[in-house]
Structures are given as structure tokens and as C-alpha cells.
Amino acid sequence: MKRPEHIIEDLITRQLDGTPLTDTERRELQEWLEASEANRNAFLRAYKAWGNARLAETRFNTSQALENVMARIAEASRPRSFLRPQLRRLGIGIAAAACVMLAVVGYYRLQPSTVPDIEMFIRQADTPVFTQKEVQLVLSEQKTLLLETQKSTIRYDSTAIRINNAEKTIPKKEAATFNQLVVPYGKQTTLTLADGTRVWINAGSRLVYPVVFEKQKREIYVEGEIYMEVAHDAERPFSVHTGKMDVCVLGTKFYMSSYGRDRTQEVVLLSGSVSVAPAGRSDRGIRIVPGQQAILDTSESLEVREVEAESYISWIHGYLPFDNDPLSNILERLSRYYNCRIECTPEAEALTLSGKLELKDDPAEVLKILSATAPINLQITGSGNFRIDYNPTTNNPN
């Protein structure tokens, strides 16, 4: 069935304006692109006109994305486009990122074996909400699962998505190309990806990943704190993107912290080898070895330090170590882990402590242990929040 021209024009215009399309509308646009070479040529001419003015302003390598699209569509004679002149004139004010997104979504969906670019998907995805109590597994625009357990497990196999040791099973056909996992404060999740790679996701983190990896590469996107054990595959390098940092591996174990509110991002290597670079700047990448930490600061400079790597993943084993760390850093990690507010006086924040805390279910128990070994007083202020004051008179005020 031939669709009215104004409907297709409206879909293209809304996509370029950054207005998300429904699954039905995206399928409609996809079917139009599949219908004829003339349609695809018309789209590409419109895309080129709209994108030329702003391609240089985008953060990701949009020019390469365009080259990839153009290379896959055969050159053909240029039949007269039916797109109305007023639609073409929208180009000057349209964001180039949306142009590239349409190119990738529109054409790549014609190729069943190809996964759309993850960076383009992230541009269009909704901003995660970490204040929700449950872990959110976003399978598609119409399907989001809420996982209520404090520690949940998710596994992708050849046919289905299995949750909490197959307590719940979801057929893969119900999931979109990319899934999102949003872990709120106070929760943890373990994820096994389609290639066998395992990811431990800490509180206040987000993971975006394909249901099935491409034949040539494996890519995921991370915000927050994770530990990964990457399944070795020499033919398909594994890349982790944070928006500020790119990490490339073949098979290894490493920790990453990329919380948006933190001024620095870091990678700690436990085994194998990884390359770390500022986002989109592989020419400035560095390689680290086990026992090293790479830190990316706000100026995109990378620093390498020798560290005790195991201490960075202690949270997956249920404890938090610290070695001459400021109390402020310890409380920040506990606050994030338990999703609670901990107020602290400047005098107490400046204290440095060494030891190990067991991450019990109740944060009050953990803080009471801390206050029993440090010169501080603990008050429970209500609604699960806490206040800590410096108490120089005793190391055991309770």
C-alpha cells in the first residue's frame, strides 16, 4: 500500500527535530525505505542537504557514519524527489546528530545482520531515572521490566532473557535491538551478555547493550560503576564507551567508574590488557597492565597509577576496604550503595581511616561499626538518613 507523501514527510521531519517515533512509525519509515531505490535516493539527498551545515559540530564521528551508510547503498541515477521544497528547507536549523540517527535507523534496519550504532541510540534514549526503587530492564519502548530484589541476575542466551535464575523468562523477540539496564541507588545487578561476558553493575548505574553483538565488534555504553569479565574473542574486540572515555579489550577483567557527577573517570585492570582513551580520540590512547589504574580528568588528560586492583571490586563480594582514605570518600560510597543521605561535619570528613567494612543489609549497622572505631558520633535523623559529627574525646563514643 502506497503511503501519502505528507505522512512520510512528517515522519522524517519529526525524527530530524529530535521527536522520538513510536515502533509503529519507525516500521512505517523502514518499509518506505525498503520499497524502492528511488525512495532511498530521495532520502539520502535530503539527508545530505540537512547534514552538511552541522556535521562538524557533533561529538561522535558522524562523517564516518555517513560514509558507512553511503557505501552500503548503491549509486544510482537521481530520480526526481517527491519531497516538498519546504521540507528540504528545514535543513539549516536541524541538529546533525538527529540526521545521522535517521540515516542509521532508516538504512541499517534494512540489513538484518547489522546492529545500529550504539552511540546514535544513546542520543535518542530517554535519560535514566535513578530515584526509582526497582531495577529497570528496558527491552523496548513498550516493554520495561521492574526487578524488585536488591541483587538481581539477568542472562541472555541464544533464545531468551532469563531473570533471577530463570524465575522469569522473556523471549528475545520481545526485545528491541538495544536494551537498557538502569540500576537505582541501593541495588546491584549481575548481567551475562550474549557472548558470555559478565558484568556486575553497582548502584546508580546505567548500561546500554545490544541483544546480539555484531559479527565484527562488541560495544556497550556505561554510566556509573561496573566490574567486567570479558569473554575472549580475538575476532571481535570489545569496546566500552562512557561518553568521555573509550576502553578497548579482547578478553580481560577490569573495573570502571564513570559516574556523571564525578570529575574524573577511571579504569582499573585486574587481568589481561586494555587500551584507554578520551572518547573519539584513539590516537591519544594508552595501554595499561594488571595492577594499574588509568584516570581521565576533565581536561581529557590520562594518568596511570599503581593500585591494589582487588580493592576496587570488593563491593561485588560484599565489603568495602579503605586505606588511609578520607571519611568523606567512604561516606560517599556508602551513601551511593545504600541510597541514603549521610550528612557530615567538615571536621569529621577530613578524618582518614583504614580498615574494611562488611556491607550489611542495614546501613545503620555499618555506620554503627564505623562510629565504634573512629572519633565520630552517629545520629539517625529519620527516613533512613544519618548525621555524623566529629568527637575528639573518644575513639569509641558509643
Side-chain angles (χ1 to χ4, degrees):
M1 178 179 175
K2 186 176 180 180
R3 292 166 181 79
E5 294 179 5
H6 71 275
I7 292 179
I8 295 299
E9 292 177 2
D10 177 65
L11 294 181
I12 294 174
T13 302
R14 287 171 50 212
Q15 179 69 52
L16 293 174
D17 278 330
T19 304
L21 302 182
T22 66
D23 285 350
T24 299
E25 289 170 334
R26 278 199 296 269
R27 282 194 297 270
E28 190 168 1
L29 185 57
Q30 173 191 347
E31 290 169 1
W32 176 78
L33 286 163
E34 289 176 330
S36 71
E37 188 74 14
N39 287 353
R40 292 191 287 276
N41 286 338
F43 160 74
L44 279 178
R45 287 195 298 278
Y47 162 69
K48 288 173 69 178
W50 294 332
N52 284 342
R54 303 290 288 278
L55 276 175
E57 298 179 11
T58 59
R59 183 180 65 179
F60 296 111
N61 192 349
T62 52
S63 60
Q64 184 62 52
L66 175 59
E67 289 176 13
N68 293 341
V69 173
M70 296 295 288
R72 282 174 161 78
I73 300 183
E75 289 291 335
S77 60
R78 302 178 70 177
R80 183 175 63 85
S81 172
F82 68 80
L83 296 177
R84 290 200 296 264
Q86 60 265 35
L87 184 59
R88 294 195 190 96
R89 287 198 296 269
L90 291 174
I92 298 301
I94 294 174
C99 295
V100 177
M101 179 62 188
L102 178 57
V104 174
V105 172
Y107 177 70
Y108 275 54
R109 284 186 177 227
L110 306 180
Q111 311 297 320
S113 63
T114 304
V115 178
D117 194 298
I118 192 169
E119 292 169 340
M120 304 308 169
F121 174 85
I122 292 160
R123 288 179 182 274
Q124 297 292 307
D126 293 335
T127 302
V129 178
F130 294 111
T131 55
Q132 190 159 323
K133 293 182 178 180
E134 298 86 2
V135 172
Q136 302 168 63
L137 175 58
V138 183
L139 301 176
S140 67
E141 285 186 358
Q142 289 76 33
K143 193 174 185 65
T144 296
L145 299 181
L146 302 180
L147 312 182
E148 297 181 356
T149 55
Q150 184 171 355
K151 294 185 179 181
S152 52
T153 60
I154 303 170
R155 182 182 182 88
Y156 286 67
D157 62 23
S158 59
T159 60
I161 305 166
R162 308 188 188 281
I163 299 172
N164 292 335
N165 297 320
E167 176 184 297
K168 186 176 184 63
T169 302
I170 308 296
K172 272 190 174 179
K173 63 183 180 181
E174 296 185 17
T177 302
F178 289 105
N179 286 179
Q180 294 187 72
L181 188 60
V182 180
V183 181
Y185 298 110
K187 296 291 180 71
Q188 283 187 34
T189 300
T190 304
L191 171 68
T192 303
L193 296 168
D195 67 335
T197 292
R198 297 188 69 192
V199 190
W200 286 256
I201 306 100
N202 209 354
S205 302
R206 172 199 186 195
L207 205 65
V208 178
Y209 53 92
V211 175
V212 178
F213 286 111
E214 287 192 73
K215 293 181 179 179
Q216 295 80 21
K217 62 181 180 180
R218 298 173 290 172
E219 288 185 299
I220 66 172
Y221 176 88
V222 174
E223 295 173 10
E225 189 174 21
I226 65 167
Y227 166 63
M228 293 188 66
E229 295 183 353
V230 177
H232 181 77
D233 186 341
E235 301 300 321
R236 292 190 300 173
F238 200 112
S239 298
V240 183
H241 306 288
T242 71
K244 296 181 180 178
M245 181 169 60
D246 297 331
V247 178
C248 183
V249 304
L250 288 176
T252 190
K253 300 178 181 180
F254 67 96
Y255 161 90
M256 172 183 285
S257 179
S258 62
Y259 286 106
R261 68 190 183 198
D262 292 346
R263 294 180 60 83
T264 61
Q265 300 194 357
E266 59 185 318
V267 174
V268 176
L269 185 62
L270 285 85
S271 69
S273 177
V274 302
S275 173
V276 184
R281 296 298 307 273
S282 58
D283 59 310
R284 293 178 54 188
I286 60 172
R287 188 172 294 274
I288 61 175
V289 299
Q292 288 186 333
Q293 174 193 47
I295 303 173
L296 179 72
D297 64 23
T298 53
S299 66
E300 295 192 344
S301 297
L302 283 163
E303 178 186 356
V304 177
R305 299 176 182 173
E306 303 293 326
V307 296
E308 181 60 46
E310 290 288 343
S311 67
Y312 285 82
I313 64 166
S314 61
W315 52 271
I316 74 173
H317 304 300
Y319 69 92
L320 174 64
F322 40 94
D323 183 12
N324 205 33
D325 290 348
L327 180 60
S328 58
N329 291 356
I330 299 170
L331 296 180
E332 181 180 1
R333 296 189 67 178
L334 291 175
S335 176
R336 182 181 288 161
Y337 186 88
Y338 288 108
N339 189 27
C340 64
R341 183 178 179 182
I342 307 174
E343 296 182 354
C344 190
T345 61
E347 295 83 1
E349 286 183 338
L351 293 171
T352 56
L353 304 175
S354 297
K356 182 169 70 174
L357 280 174
E358 183 180 354
L359 296 173
K360 300 177 180 292
D361 292 339
D362 186 354
E365 291 185 45
V366 178
L367 292 172
K368 285 178 181 178
I369 293 173
L370 193 63
S371 65
T373 57
I376 56 176
N377 283 332
L378 171 67
Q379 301 177 45
I380 300 177
T381 60
S383 302
N385 297 323
F386 305 90
R387 176 180 173 83
I388 290 178
D389 299 296
Y390 177 53
N391 183 352
T393 61
T394 178
N395 283 343
N396 189 1
N398 293 334

